[in-house]
Amino acid sequence: MSISTSAQPGAEADPQKDEEQRLRELGYQPVLARRMGGFGNFAISFSVISILSGCMTLYGFGMSTGGPSVMLWGWAGVGLFVLCVGMALAEVTSAYPTSGALYYMADRLGGRKWGWYTGWLNLLGLLGAIAGIDYGAALFTGALMNLQWGFDPTPGHTMIIFVCILLLHAVLNLFGVRLVSVLNSISVWWHLAGVAVIVAVLAIVPSHHQSPSFVFTEFVNDTGWQNPLYVAAIGLLLAQYTFCGYDASAHLSEETSNASVTAARGIVRSIWVSWIAGFVLLAGLTFAIQDYAGTQDTATGVPPAQILIDALGTSGATAMLLIVIAAQLFCGNAEVAAASRMVFAFSRDNALPGSGLWRKVSARTQTPVNAVWLSVVVAGLLALPSLYSATAYGAVTAINVIGITPAYAIPIFLKLRAGDRFQRGPWHLGRWSKPIGWIAVVWVAIVTVLFLLPQSSPVTIDSMNYASIALVAVLALATVWWFVARRSYGTPSAYGNAREQAEIAADIV
């Protein structure tokens, strides 16, 4: 495959154009600080994907829905398809490097309604991701405190930890994008070194390991469903849940140097690096399982924690959990950055209630301060039902994936539909654009159906898959608000109007 990062004559954008001028041509006055480099842009998507968050938090789900064989081979297969989605999305990002990202692409390629619904799916997905990531970090923190001090991780205690984590991430994001970029760069090396340390320790310390036959062929079905193909399909969601959030590179493109190229590269690199490192992590954990049933029924509530305890003892497990929790905190911080830029961009185009408030930018840090606070407050509200039901955390995860995953495919589909009318940017797939694009669209359609299917039998209030309700709720909310805001919402065709300049200046406080 030949992927070009140099412009061709005709319909393509000139890669030498100043990014600020390019942003003006897309309709926006630059107000955010362009202080993030290519590595920082890659790092934010890699941090949001966070294999030490997704793989660890959902490992228990994988143990029941197909077990080791589906976890390992499912990860390998899903990663390949997600890479196709990422490459196709990167191509569109190169043409439209704005903070609005997915919804702006859809608006330009398909019209206002396409942009509107894509934006709401993307926004609810990002806010659900903050809630899911930070609540997962709270669960792991509770497990660590239980291990170390006998702390009782009740739903109330977990919620207090969760709120403290949200506040930490809000404060860190208020200091500006340069600190966010530094933390994300640290996060990359923390994740890679963390995976290497955990896997190495699990390979060396325990006296007993599972056989390769167990790790790569053992099938476990604790779902209640009898059809093994159905169970294996559901089991693919461990990988698909984890491979979310790589649109963060696009959302930070207005703060990235040479974004038409580096934001596109950031998306693709974050996926393939996570793909390789995640497979190593899952294999290392699975080889180290000492007692499968005991790991599933662990008193910590976190199966990977039990694997570490059984294999390494309390002290060793504590050290490894600290690595995981730090990675989850990096992940949540990166997700707050991405979601707040989406809030800022959507408000800039008057799509949210109170848009004038959420699009304001700090003159000192050039950060959308109010958008940061709105993001963490809504994430906190989304996780509140977890106080009353363990099923609620699954529902929050459902809001994340059922919103954000279809939103990836919409601009890709619209680009394919546009054909030669699509003016590609300096990073593109050349002759591979159409086949990779269609693979991406079909894959997203398949996994969206999988997201909606019941995951355990019999289906009860506690075992129900709430993704379908989440999808209907998001679309209903978007439809209702469309009739309120449709006259004010819209992406600009070009920047330069004197009134628009005055409005942008007024939003810098």
Side-chain angles (χ1 to χ4, degrees):
M1 181 188 305
S2 174
I3 297 175
S4 174
T5 56
S6 60
Q8 302 296 324
E12 298 172 35
D14 180 358
Q16 302 304 320
K17 281 185 178 177
D18 177 79
E19 290 290 343
E20 304 288 45
Q21 179 59 31
R22 174 63 180 147
L23 188 60
R24 291 185 180 95
E25 291 173 359
L26 293 174
Y28 298 112
Q29 169 68 5
V31 295
L32 301 176
R34 204 174 285 275
R35 296 170 180 162
M36 182 176 283
F39 185 82
N41 186 277
F42 147 73
I44 193 166
S45 283
F46 181 77
S47 297
V48 172
I49 292 174
S50 184
I51 52 175
L52 283 173
S53 177
C55 291
M56 300 294 264
T57 303
L58 294 161
Y59 191 85
F61 171 83
M63 292 183 77
S64 300
T65 53
S69 61
V70 174
M71 281 195 282
L72 271 296
W73 294 115
W75 182 272
V78 169
L80 181 61
F81 286 112
V82 171
L83 186 60
C84 290
V85 178
M87 288 192 292
L89 185 62
E91 186 174 44
V92 192
T93 298
S94 180
Y96 303 109
T98 71
S99 295
L102 308 181
Y103 89 85
Y104 181 89
M105 302 170 195
D107 185 289
R108 283 302 169 89
L109 293 169
R112 293 173 73 234
K113 277 196 174 182
W114 279 105
W116 177 267
Y117 282 99
T118 302
W120 277 98
L121 285 169
N122 191 199
L123 178 61
L124 268 295
L126 288 167
L127 296 174
I130 298 174
I133 292 163
D134 281 1
Y135 196 82
L139 288 172
F140 269 76
T141 303
L144 175 65
M145 295 169 70
N146 172 266
L147 188 63
Q148 198 68 16
W149 301 293
F151 173 82
D152 184 14
T154 63
H157 290 160
T158 302
M159 185 60 63
I160 292 172
I161 299 170
F162 168 67
V163 171
C164 291
I165 293 172
L166 282 178
L167 290 173
L168 170 66
H169 287 155
V171 171
L172 288 174
N173 271 270
L174 295 181
F175 283 99
V177 75
R178 184 166 289 165
L179 177 61
V180 171
S181 182
V182 169
L183 290 174
N184 288 329
S185 297
I186 296 171
S187 171
V188 171
W189 301 113
W190 185 274
H191 274 81
L192 295 177
V195 169
V197 169
I198 291 171
V199 172
V201 170
L202 288 176
I204 295 169
V205 175
S207 57
H208 169 73
H209 290 92
Q210 299 292 341
S211 67
S213 174
F214 175 87
V215 172
F216 294 106
T217 65
E218 182 72 14
F219 182 84
V220 177
N221 178 13
D222 292 328
T223 65
W225 299 108
Q226 299 304 312
N227 189 320
L229 290 178
Y230 181 89
V231 175
I234 296 298
L236 297 178
L237 295 182
L238 178 151
Q240 189 63 52
Y241 283 143
T242 304
F243 279 116
C244 268
Y246 44 86
D247 57 315
S249 290
H251 290 295
L252 272 290
S253 59
E254 289 183 33
E255 295 159 270
T256 301
S257 301
N258 193 24
S260 297
V261 173
T262 53
R265 285 177 177 167
I267 292 172
V268 176
R269 287 175 178 171
S270 68
I271 294 171
W272 70 255
V273 174
S274 298
W275 185 21
I276 295 169
F279 187 86
V280 173
L281 176 63
L282 289 172
L285 284 170
T286 309
F287 271 111
I289 294 174
Q290 306 296 305
D291 176 2
Y292 202 93
T295 298
Q296 288 178 292
D297 299 329
T298 175
T300 67
V302 181
Q306 191 63 49
I307 293 174
L308 296 171
I309 293 168
D310 292 344
L312 309 175
T314 302
S315 298
T318 300
M320 297 302 104
L321 282 175
L322 283 171
I323 293 175
V324 173
I325 291 168
Q328 292 173 329
L329 294 177
F330 280 126
C331 174
N333 190 63
E335 186 62 39
V336 169
S340 62
R341 271 50 175 191
M342 175 61 195
V343 170
F344 160 77
F346 219 25
S347 299
R348 183 171 57 183
D349 291 328
N350 296 307
L352 295 182
S355 286
L357 180 63
W358 313 125
R359 68 176 176 237
K360 291 186 180 297
V361 175
S362 166
R364 183 174 61 86
T365 63
Q366 292 180 274
T367 298
V369 172
N370 294 340
V372 170
W373 283 115
L374 179 66
S375 299
V376 297
V377 168
V378 173
L381 294 174
L382 287 174
L384 271 182
S386 299
L387 280 169
Y388 311 104
S389 168
T391 309
Y393 179 65
V396 169
T397 304
I399 291 172
N400 170 18
V401 296
I402 203 61
I404 210 166
T405 306
Y408 291 155
I410 293 172
I412 299 171
F413 167 74
L414 293 174
K415 179 208 71 172
L416 292 167
R417 192 181 72 167
D420 293 337
R421 290 189 295 108
F422 171 67
Q423 297 183 1
R424 61 190 186 184
W427 193 103
H428 59 81
L429 298 170
R431 61 192 176 91
W432 292 95
S433 179
K434 286 186 178 179
I436 289 177
W438 282 115
I439 290 171
V441 170
V442 171
W443 173 250
V444 170
I446 291 171
V447 296
T448 300
V449 172
L450 293 183
F451 285 145
L452 301 174
L453 297 176
Q455 296 170 357
S456 59
S457 178
V459 179
T460 65
I461 291 177
D462 286 334
S463 66
M464 180 178 174
N465 180 359
Y466 286 89
S468 55
I469 295 177
L471 179 60
V472 171
V474 170
L475 294 178
L477 175 64
T479 301
V480 170
W481 191 247
W482 168 257
F483 289 102
V484 176
R486 61 182 173 176
R487 292 181 180 175
S488 60
Y489 163 74
T491 59
S493 57
Y495 182 75
N497 180 282
R499 182 180 63 81
E500 289 176 342
Q501 291 185 35
E503 289 177 354
I504 291 293
D507 287 331
I508 302 176
V509 295

